[in-house]
Amino acid sequence: LGLGRGITRAELSNPLSLFDDRNGLAGAIFAVHRHLGRLYVGTAQGLYVLEPGPDPHFRRIPGIESQTWAFLSVGESLLVANYQGVYDVTGDTVALVQKSGGSFALVASVAQPGRVFVGQEGLASIRKVGDRWQDEGSLPGITDQIRSLFEDHNGALWLGSRGTGVLRLRFPAASPDGGIGAAKIE
């Protein structure tokens, strides 16, 4: 459970466990995600990972500071949407994939394998090329903050915005450049 200050784990047969600043977890909780067996928490202060054991505590991941909004597991990589942009966390290595003035949502496209859509001040796209992420830029015409993303079974992308409501994007069957620039906003 994400709380205003900390997180709580509830199990029906066990008492509650509370993790907060006393266990190294600072800031309001925005997202919780399990990746490759490890529990990650995004807060207003950055990215944290649970260090289990007799005295479980959260350790801050260096290099990812400020508001951390969303996670997406892509193979060995954990993509992290943060106020500074999108990061790739692989093991103990942190790399900035796309710099922005705030990234809030991530979704892996099923219709366009390898592509990840990024909700920010507009809509952007990144793609895994070999062992590196490539920034594909932003879609023109969308300027509102995109806070949630969903791809339906027909390949249409639904965007939940902060101020203008819901947008739907459709992509042509064959885009010559394979980019997001050919999308039709509805």
Side-chain angles (χ1 to χ4, degrees), residues 44-66:
Q45 304 299 316
L47 176 63
Y48 294 82
V49 62
L50 178 63
E51 298 292 347
D55 183 27
H57 63 279
F58 279 87
R59 174 178 58 87
R60 187 180 198 149
I61 303 292
I64 301 182
E65 313 300 328
S66 75

Side-chain angles (χ1 to χ4, degrees), residues 8 30 33 39 42 57 59 83 92 96 113 118 131 144 150 153 160 182:
T8 298
F30 297 141
H33 184 79
L39 186 68
H57 63 279
R59 174 178 58 87
Y83 190 72
D92 290 330
L96 181 63
V118 181
D131 62 348
D144 200 1
F150 173 76
H153 66 280

